[in-house]
């Protein structure tokens, strides 16, 4: 069935609407960062940059690093922006823009999120790196998609709901695993692993109180103490579960790596955010180059 112009929106030059890209502009291995200013911090390590563009918060650089073609794209903040970026990148590779129909041959993409995050565990210190074995979504985004049930970890979700006495009007939390093939390329003994919580906001949804009281003043304590089998909660941010959910639904691999810049359990904050992020970038690029 042909996808209507109102559903798949293209710019006058044929690029896809929000991210302003054509397929030839993008590599099949894609680094996702939140901040547009972090894009050149990644691409400065490239041997060559063949393409760059920016529209709104969506900045893209594509180039070569140690022989590997890589794109780095900024998403902005939050699951709603992830919904735009992942869907539009998938469309570039898996929808024929001339006929407006899905292609018969699927192209699998690799998504690697490089973010910053706060640790929920005292023994995961600032300046360390966490790989998200699971994304725990408190954002409801994935529930918009009909076939999401089969990609979710339902038993783990049930255990989390019981452990936290989850407030039902917030919507059901969802849990999705990372891409195991990609994980094997990115993991190493010095990297922490665990469940990354994805909140739909920075303040109340993450238990921060300024002038507004929160619905559950003990949420972070409940997150900190949640364990399922030998897997525990490690950190809290705003994108990972949406990346994992959409990637699984669309047949892609995704892994989230976060530089820990704050420790919510100990109340500490890194002395050098820039250095923590640079260490993450260099670690990830050297792993990605070998994929």
């Amino acid at each position: 069935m042909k996808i209507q112009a109102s559903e798949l929106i293209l710019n006058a030059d044929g690029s896809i609407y929000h991210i302003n890209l054509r397929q030839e502009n993008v590599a099949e291995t894609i680094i996702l960062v939140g901040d547009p200013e972090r894009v050149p911090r990644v691409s400065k390590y490239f041997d060559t940059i063949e393409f760059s563009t920016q529209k709104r918060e969506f900045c893209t650089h594509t180039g070569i690093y140690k022989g590997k073609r890589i794109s780095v794209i900024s998403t902005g903040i939050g699951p709603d922006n992830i919904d735009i970026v992942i869907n539009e990148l998938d469309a570039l590779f898996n929808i024929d823009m001339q006929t407006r129909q899905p292609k018969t041959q699927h192209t699998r993409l690799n998504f690697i999120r490089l973010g910053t995050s706060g640790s929920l565990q005292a023994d995961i210190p600032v300046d360390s790196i966490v790989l998200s074995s699971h994304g725990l979504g408190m954002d409801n985004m994935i529930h918009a998609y009909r076939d999401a049930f089969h990609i979710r970890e339902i038993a783990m979700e049930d255990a989390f709901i019981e452990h936290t006495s989850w407030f039902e009007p917030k919507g059901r939390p969802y849990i999705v695993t990372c891409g195991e093939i990609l994980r094997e390329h990115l993991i190493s003994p010095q990297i922490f692993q665990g469940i990354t919580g994805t909140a739909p906001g920075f303040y109340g949804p993450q238990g921060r109180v300024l002038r507004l009281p929160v619905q559950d003043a003990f949420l972070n304590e409940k997150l900190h103490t949640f364990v399922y089998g030998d897997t525990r909660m490690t950190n809290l941010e705003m994108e990972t579960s949406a990346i994992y959910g959409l990637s699984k639904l669309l047949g892609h691999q995704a892994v989230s790596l976060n530089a820990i810049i704050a420790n919510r359990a100990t109340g500490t904050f890194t002395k050098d955010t820039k250095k923590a992020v640079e260490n993450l970038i260099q670690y990830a690029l050297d792993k990605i180059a070998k994929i």
Side-chain angles (χ1 to χ4, degrees), residues 32-276:
L32 302 175
V33 298
D35 185 354
E37 294 186 1
R38 194 171 293 160
V39 171
R41 292 179 64 181
V42 175
S43 66
K44 72 181 181 182
Y45 293 103
F46 290 180
D47 303 312
T48 59
I49 298 175
E50 66 183 62
F51 174 82
S52 63
T53 191
Q54 181 164 359
K55 182 181 179 183
R56 303 182 187 182
E57 61 267 62
F58 308 114
C59 177
T60 302
H61 290 183
T62 296
I64 304 296
Y65 178 77
K66 294 185 177 179
K68 180 78 173 180
R69 190 169 186 251
I70 302 171
S71 291
V72 53
I73 301 176
S74 60
T75 64
I77 297 174
D80 50 344
N81 275 21
I82 295 301
D83 184 64
I84 291 170
V85 172
I86 299 294
N87 273 296
E88 292 195 358
L89 286 170
D90 172 79
L92 290 178
F93 286 88
N94 291 304
I95 296 175
D96 186 314
M97 296 300 168
Q98 300 302 315
T99 65
R100 291 180 166 272
Q101 297 195 26
K103 296 178 180 178
T104 55
Q105 184 172 348
H106 178 265
T107 298
R108 190 185 77 189
L109 304 176
N110 289 319
F111 294 111
I112 302 99
R113 166 170 158 75
L114 302 184
T116 55
S117 183
S119 169
L120 293 168
Q121 303 292 343
D123 65 325
I124 302 178
V126 295
D127 303 322
S128 61
I129 297 172
V130 167
L131 185 152
S132 307
S133 61
H134 301 73
L136 189 160
M138 296 174 278
D139 54 270
N140 290 320
M141 188 277 295
I142 205 67
H143 298 314
Y145 295 95
R146 185 185 62 191
D147 296 327
F149 187 85
H150 76 277
I151 65 161
R152 291 163 41 201
E153 302 298 313
I154 302 299
M156 187 183 286
E157 293 175 9
D158 290 339
F160 177 78
I161 289 167
E162 181 178 0
H163 176 79
T164 57
S165 300
W166 188 256
F167 186 53
E168 191 173 310
K170 288 182 178 179
R172 182 183 173 95
Y174 65 93
I175 300 177
V176 183
T177 60
C178 68
E180 285 298 325
I181 297 171
L182 189 55
R183 173 191 171 277
E184 291 303 310
H185 290 286
L186 297 174
I187 196 62
S188 66
Q190 68 263 37
I191 300 300
F192 292 91
Q193 293 187 77
I195 306 166
T196 294
T198 295
F202 184 76
Y203 289 99
Q206 294 190 37
R208 291 183 172 91
V209 177
L210 299 183
R211 291 204 314 119
L212 295 175
V214 295
Q215 179 272 323
D216 187 349
F218 302 100
L219 175 62
N220 283 359
E221 180 180 337
K222 294 173 182 178
L223 294 175
H224 164 81
T225 55
F226 178 64
V227 179
Y228 187 82
D230 58 358
T231 305
R232 61 177 178 166
M233 291 286 299
T234 49
N235 59 314
L236 187 60
E237 46 85 271
M238 296 176 63
E239 288 83 24
T240 293
S241 66
I243 295 170
Y244 283 11
L246 287 170
S247 295
K248 278 277 175 72
L249 284 174
L250 291 165
H252 305 305
Q253 289 281 302
V255 166
S256 181
L257 295 171
N258 275 273
I260 299 301
I261 61 171
N263 188 299
R264 301 291 295 277
T266 62
T268 54
F269 195 85
T270 181
K271 295 180 180 178
D272 192 339
T273 302
K274 182 178 179 181
K275 182 178 179 181

